[in-house]
Structures are given as C-alpha cells and as structure tokens.
Amino acid sequence: MRTPPAAPPTAQAASAAPVAARPVVLDPPVVRGRSAGDPPPAPVTGARRLVADPAAVDAVAAALGALHGPDGPGTAPVVLAATDYCVHAADAFAARCDDPARRLRPSDSVALEPSGLLQGFTALTGWQGPGYVVADPEGDGTTALRFARGLVESGRTPAAYLCEVLRRADTGAFWAVATRLHRGTGPAAAELAEPAAERPAPDPAHRAARRTTGLDPATRARSAVLRAYTRHTRTRTRTHEPAEEQQP
C-alpha cells in the first residue's frame, strides 16, 4: 500500500516558518578625549569632585552624548569597559591611604565607584537606562563588547551603548570610545561577530581609523570597539568587491 504524497505547505504554515534574526551591528565609533592645546577643562566642583578623574567623566559624556538620539531621555542600557579607570582610582585611593599628611575623606572611597563616570552623560541627556560596568583582566573592552552583544542578541533590549574608558600610557589622559549595538544593517554599520583569536591592530589608513584623531596608536590598538569595527567593515568591503579585484 502506497503512502499518499504529503500535501504542499499551506500559506499559513509557510508564514509560520522562523525568520532568521538580523545580525548585531556596530555603529561607527565615536572617540572623545583631551589633547594638547585643548581649552582648559571645566572647574572641578560639585559632584565632579567625587570621581578619581573628572576628565574621564567629560570624555564619556561627550562620546555617549554624540551617539544619543535627540528624542529625549533614553532607556537603552549602557555598558562601560572601565578597567583603566578602576586601576587608576584604586592607585589614587591607596596613595591617599599611605599619605600621613592627608586625612582620608569619605569622598576618597566614593571615587572608587566607576558608575560615577556616567554622571555627565546623565546630566547631558537625561538618560534613565540601566548601566553596567565591566573590568576586563586584559585591560580592553573585549568582555564588555561580548556582554553588550549578548544583551541585544538575547532580545533583552533592541539596542545597547558600549563605552570603553581608556587611559593613555604616555600622558595619563582618559579617552572614551563609544558605539551603539543593534540589529540591522546600514551604510556605515559593521556586522559584529565573535572576536577572532588573532586580533590585528587597526589599519591607520582605514576609514574607521580616521575617527580616532588625537588617540595615540598604542591606545587605539587596545580598543576592542575599534578593532571590531575596523575588522568587520574591512571584511564587508572585500565581500562587495568584484572577483577580479580580489585577485593578487
């Protein structure tokens, strides 16, 4: 006895088929920090005195503020990669503890809290979302990048901000490298994949590197955001090149 052939899928069954999720992409990174010749920073008053380095707060506010939409307070999560700041704050606190000529103040311990880095961004934009601080043993934003990607991939949020807080070894100045992660594609977005085992330093001639004016090569090479954006925009450019142009 023959088994009758299966009926073709109905339109309803076809519409119920799962749709592949769009990849998580990175918006073009924004880099902010103080360089030689910049105007003097704002006076250290009020809440700015409660952080280990007010210039770090200014850099984070400027970088994240440049990515923040103009539609009022946002609720998207912000992930800070703040290893450099945490190390600096801990060193400063230890030095104050060891200084016999200076009495330890409550504000000294408050400066250890890295969430203070977001005070300028909050005041600037009215941001009301959750914040996460990640300290990576490697000193860059690799773990924070994976965490922010997981927030978007899991569907917990449609978009997330990521900001690396990096300290220049030569000047001690803090710089912020920020981006927004979300699903979808765009003319300037770069698909985000797991970081490869080999992490090539960004090519200075690449267009992403042109957004890092003022950031020294050593600090730029430490940025997981810039590495990821540069690597994947370069890969996408090669994918869209004609076959004959890819041959040596």
Side-chain angles (χ1 to χ4, degrees), residues 23-29 179-182 184-193 207 225 228-234 236:
V24 177
V25 298
L26 282 167
D27 281 350
T179 187
R180 186 173 70 102
L181 293 87
H182 58 96
T185 56
E191 182 177 346
L192 178 61
R207 62 183 178 180
V225 169
Y229 186 82
T230 301
R231 180 171 61 248
H232 295 294
T233 48
R234 183 188 297 121
R236 190 182 60 179

Side-chain angles (χ1 to χ4, degrees), residues 32-63:
R32 295 290 186 271
R34 292 191 56 79
S35 298
D38 286 348
V44 181
T45 58
R48 287 168 57 84
R49 295 179 298 145
L50 302 180
V51 294
D53 193 320
V57 177
D58 298 340
V60 169

Side-chain angles (χ1 to χ4, degrees), residues 49-53 85 89-90 93 96 106-114:
R49 295 179 298 145
L50 302 180
V51 294
D53 193 320
Y85 178 84
F93 181 74
R96 288 166 183 167
S107 59
D108 293 329
S109 58
V110 174
L112 292 169
E113 175 53 61

